[in-house]
Amino acid sequence: MVGVIPFVRDLEVDYGRVDAVSPLIRRVIAANPGPFTFTGTGTYIVGRGAPGAGVAVIDPGPPDQTHLAALLAAVEGQSVSHVLVTHTHRDHSPLARPFADAVGAPVLAARPPARIAHASGALDEDDDEAFVPDTILTGGEVVTGDGWTIEAMATPGHASNHMAFVLREENALFSGDHVMGWSTTVVAPPDGDMAAYMASLEAVIARRFATIWPTHGAPVTDPEPFLAAYRAHRLEREAQILAHLSGGPQRIMEMTPALYAAVDSRLWPAAGLTLWAHLIALERAGRVRAEPGPEVDAVWRLS
């Protein structure tokens, strides 16, 4: 049994409502709940919200005109200086351009990935192929506004272009989908990369944030034990895979029901993609072999 993560799943949701969740942060949730978005996409507005004040907006969300109207109402009378996007999945980025055009602000994000479709239709978070940022971020860039400072923090893994954002005044991280309070994160090849994900997770742990604000779900207000459990879960899953393969070669479709028996079977296709990401990382480390190569339908065995 993979170790228990202290998930945070209590979140009162009123779609379109503007919630002041900290002195510098407001949140508006889009009505796109689902198995990968939980209660929906949470768009964050950073800034004090006083008339005429400058604010930044993070992850405008899916192509939803009702959500767009709610965001525009939330920033009415304020000056939006930056629109920041964590990554180009369709529950995060499509509304960035319409919103930015409406408020006259630039869109900042990491370079979109190569146009590679996910290996399976198991996910509802395919790439937003139309997305083009005005400014390309690589990590380490800092933008400022009225009483706030945001630092871009590269966190590849869930997506190759995943960028988290640090609010320095509150020692808080807007983690996108890299860390979610309600669930573990899907890492789906070919764009998702488990080794990159684990390296990014270590970087987040090292920063000792006071609060983590995921795009989906409630905040993580005690990050240290939560992130330790998040990391332990991944390492235990890796050990579980190796132990399972000690019984002989198998394909992912054969391994998934056994390794994810506690997971709703409707999510097994997505779980299989994360299993594939683990296996690719293990293959690169020389601990497993794939025949004929590390593809999703390969036969996997211990090295």
Side-chain angles (χ1 to χ4, degrees), residues 1-25:
M1 180 71 175
V2 174
V4 176
I5 300 171
F7 288 124
V8 183
R9 294 190 171 117
D10 293 330
L11 180 66
E12 180 190 350
V13 177
D14 186 352
Y15 295 118
R17 184 181 67 194
V18 183
D19 292 321
V21 294
S22 88
L24 284 173
I25 303 170

Side-chain angles (χ1 to χ4, degrees), residues 10 16 25 28 39 41 58 91 96 103 109-110 116 175 178 183 185 201 203 216 218 220-221 233 241 258 266 277:
D10 293 330
I25 303 170
V28 183
T39 58
T41 296
I58 300 173
D91 52 328
V103 299
I116 302 173
S175 62
H178 180 66
S183 175
T185 299
L201 186 59
H216 307 290
V220 177
T221 56
H233 169 87
I241 291 167
R266 292 173 297 178

Side-chain angles (χ1 to χ4, degrees), residues 92-291:
H92 292 253
S93 60
L95 209 59
R97 181 57 59 195
F99 176 77
D101 287 348
V103 299
V107 177
L108 292 74
R111 187 179 301 280
R115 300 309 182 199
I116 302 173
H118 284 300
S120 165
L123 306 179
D124 62 358
E125 51 180 18
D126 286 337
D127 286 330
D128 173 13
E129 296 192 5
F131 179 79
V132 179
D134 297 304
T135 300
I136 300 292
L137 302 174
T138 59
E141 296 88 351
V142 175
V143 298
T144 60
D146 293 340
W148 52 264
T149 310
I150 293 177
E151 171 196 344
M153 182 179 182
T155 49
H158 170 70
S160 62
N161 69 331
H162 197 286
M163 188 72 64
F165 296 100
V166 181
L167 177 58
R168 289 182 174 175
E169 284 76 7
E170 296 187 1
N171 190 28
L173 181 72
F174 298 100
S175 62
D177 284 355
H178 180 66
V179 175
M180 298 190 294
W182 70 282
S183 175
T184 55
T185 299
V186 174
V187 180
D191 190 54
D193 184 297
M194 187 60 71
Y197 179 85
M198 294 301 291
S200 296
L201 186 59
E202 294 294 345
V204 169
I205 290 170
R207 292 288 295 262
R208 301 178 67 86
F209 293 109
T211 310
I212 294 176
W213 295 96
T215 298
H216 307 290
V220 177
T221 56
D222 191 9
E224 187 172 354
F226 185 91
L227 292 173
Y230 224 64
R231 174 175 56 190
H233 169 87
R234 293 294 187 189
L235 295 176
E236 191 172 349
R237 183 69 77 194
E238 181 180 279
Q240 204 178 51
I241 291 167
L242 294 171
H244 195 75
L245 287 177
S246 68
Q250 289 205 35
R251 297 180 186 271
I252 287 173
M253 67 178 66
E254 299 163 339
M255 300 170 67
T256 301
L259 294 175
Y260 291 88
V263 175
D264 186 330
S265 61
R266 292 173 297 178
L267 300 179
W268 283 355
L273 293 178
T274 294
L275 173 56
W276 183 26
H278 273 292
L279 287 162
I280 290 171
L282 289 168
E283 192 265 346
R284 289 175 183 165
R287 303 183 71 183
V288 303
R289 287 186 292 127
E291 297 173 356

